[in-house]
Amino acid sequence: MSLSRRLVLGAGAVTALGAGALGLGWWQVDGPGAAQPASPTRNLPRPLGEMDVTLTDHRGRRVTISDWVGRPSLVFFGFTWCPDVCPTTLSDISLWLEELGPDADRLNVALISVDPERDTPEVLADYLGYFDPRIVGVTGEPGEVARILGDFRAKAERIEDVNGDYTMNHTAGVFLFRADGSFGSIIDFHEDRRFAVPKIRRAMKKEQP
């Protein structure tokens, strides 16, 4: 099914988290909600090297998250029936990669689906054809997806509608990890490219301050 068709079908069904909650990842990690946590690392994603979850990419290949260590990573949670946040963010990521130029080839860039019931590898492959080809779609069994959400300290919630269909509310924000697998930062939904691209470049630096 084409992306435009998905947007038409999904637009009437979505029950978004709201502008503030859509930036939940930012609120938990970089925003005021993290200003005085009970533990300094309570809301931070685990290092990629500690994530032993294995999923499947849009080419049908098995992917273990810990194998991303060795290259900087950009990771986003979403789903193909998302009418607004996901295509907007994937379009933004495509523009960021273009601006980074050849340096973008050093990155792992992944969309992890929060809707494995509908997002098969084949569906993800069709959907991602509209965006930068370096973006990898990843899906898996519901239990595996739940585990990786927990590792990222991210959230996803299935919302049923009156027509018997459903949409997914989920953390919006692009997670940045350094090459050693440690968490670097998060880019909030709709963050200006003038700030987003420098964040990526900082996460890509080999030497950390």
Side-chain angles (χ1 to χ4, degrees):
M1 181 177 292
S2 69
L3 176 59
S4 60
R5 176 66 170 159
R6 290 178 187 279
L7 297 182
V8 170
L9 290 177
V14 69
T15 54
L17 285 169
L22 283 171
L24 178 60
W26 173 84
W27 180 267
Q28 291 180 327
V29 177
D30 281 344
Q36 294 180 327
S39 166
T41 60
R42 182 184 63 180
N43 291 323
L44 296 182
R46 297 177 65 190
L48 291 178
E50 296 179 6
M51 301 185 191
D52 61 353
V53 180
T54 298
L55 303 168
T56 302
D57 73 12
H58 71 277
R59 300 181 182 93
R61 300 177 300 196
R62 297 295 281 168
V63 175
T64 301
I65 304 302
S66 59
D67 288 345
W68 290 346
V69 175
R71 302 174 69 185
S73 298
L74 279 71
V75 185
F76 171 67
F77 290 93
F79 64 114
T80 64
W81 287 82
C82 179
D84 180 25
V85 173
C86 303
T88 297
T89 300
L90 291 169
S91 295
D92 287 344
I93 291 173
S94 297
L95 291 172
W96 302 339
L97 297 178
E98 180 180 351
E99 185 166 334
L100 287 166
D103 286 343
D105 295 335
R106 296 166 43 205
L107 292 164
N108 300 309
V109 188
L111 161 67
I112 300 179
S113 174
V114 297
D115 185 15
E117 180 177 324
R118 293 183 294 200
D119 287 346
T120 64
E122 295 78 14
V123 169
L124 283 170
D126 177 64
Y127 183 73
L128 290 173
Y130 292 90
F131 306 103
D132 190 288
R134 287 167 289 198
I135 303 173
V136 175
V138 183
T139 188
E141 297 296 326
E144 295 171 330
V145 172
R147 284 179 61 200
I148 201 64
L149 282 165
D151 285 344
F152 274 79
R153 310 298 192 254
K155 296 181 183 296
E157 180 184 12
R158 176 168 168 153
I159 304 296
E160 307 288 341
D161 68 19
V162 295
N163 298 316
D165 202 353
Y166 69 92
T167 188
M168 300 295 297
N169 286 352
H170 61 90
T171 297
V174 179
F175 294 83
L176 304 179
F177 291 85
R178 305 181 186 96
D180 64 3
S182 62
F183 175 69
S185 185
I186 195 163
I187 300 173
D188 193 28
F189 177 57
H190 269 328
E191 186 164 343
D192 192 291
R193 196 191 324 179
R194 293 174 299 169
F195 305 109
V197 173
K199 279 187 176 182
I200 299 170
R201 290 195 183 280
R202 286 195 294 272
M204 295 177 73
K205 287 182 179 179
K206 294 182 179 180
E207 298 293 331
Q208 301 301 323

